[in-house]
């Protein structure tokens, strides 16, 4: 009797591009929260979108990785949105802090010229600075 051999069922191929898109998207989302360092989000997210699109089209052929490809696309798109949001917040905070510093160090205003100091008014920060300077000079 001859033994009949049946073909082994084929394992579906892997979809490494979809997995790569997911990994790049996750890294891009995490890095997008870090000001200044989030500049690297652009290449990561763009590569994530490209790999996700290719992986999604490949998912139809290998029957694997459709969800991973979609998730890679979404996380990469979210990373780009977070990049803009975090940069807007960061630069807004820096601008606000800069304006506050400018206000606090603006020590004088133009007065009427009749008073002893010329009508100039000192800010609280400058008064504190002068008091600290006097205290330090007494210690020396």
């Amino acid at each position: 009797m001859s033994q009949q051999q049946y073909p082994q069922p084929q394992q579906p191929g892997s979809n490494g591009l979809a997995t790569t898109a997911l990994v790049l998207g996750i890294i891009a989302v995490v890095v997008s929260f870090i000001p200044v360092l989030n500049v690297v989000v652009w290449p990561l997210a763009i590569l994530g979108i490209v790999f996700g699109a290719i992986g999604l089209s490949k998912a139809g052929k290998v029957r694997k990785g459709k969800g991973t490809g979609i998730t890679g696309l979404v996380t990469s798109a979210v990373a780009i949105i977070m990049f803009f949001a975090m940069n807007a917040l960061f630069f807004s905070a820096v601008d606000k802090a800069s304006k506050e510093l400018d206000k606090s160090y603006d020590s004088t205003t133009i007065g009427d010229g009749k008073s002893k100091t010329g009508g100039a008014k000192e800010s609280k920060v400058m008064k504190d600075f002068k008091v600290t300077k006097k205290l330090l000079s007494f210690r020396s």
Side-chain angles (χ1 to χ4, degrees), residues 95-116:
D95 187 47
K96 185 177 178 181
S98 173
K99 286 179 182 176
E100 287 295 321
L101 282 173
D102 286 345
K103 273 191 216 174
S104 67
Y105 287 114
D106 185 21
S107 64
T108 59
T109 57
I110 304 297
D112 58 1
K114 295 179 183 175
S115 67
K116 186 176 178 184

Side-chain angles (χ1 to χ4, degrees), residues 23 43 49 66 70 79 98 107:
V23 170
I49 289 172
K66 184 176 181 183
I70 291 171
S98 173
S107 64

Side-chain angles (χ1 to χ4, degrees), residues 1-80:
M1 283 197 209
S2 70
Q3 195 170 12
Q4 191 176 14
Q5 294 219 352
Y6 293 103
Q8 293 287 337
Q10 276 191 323
Q11 294 290 331
S14 67
N15 196 343
L17 292 173
T19 306
T20 303
L22 179 61
V23 170
L24 287 174
I26 291 170
I27 291 171
V29 166
V30 170
V31 173
S32 69
F33 286 102
I34 305 169
V36 182
L37 186 63
N38 67 359
V39 175
V40 292
V41 165
W42 278 106
L44 293 175
I46 289 172
L47 286 172
I49 289 172
V50 169
F51 288 149
I54 295 170
L56 195 57
S57 68
K58 186 181 175 186
K61 296 173 189 168
V62 295
R63 306 230 190 278
K64 190 172 185 183
K66 184 176 181 183
T68 309
I70 291 171
T71 308
L73 282 169
V74 170
T75 53
S76 296
V78 166
I80 290 174

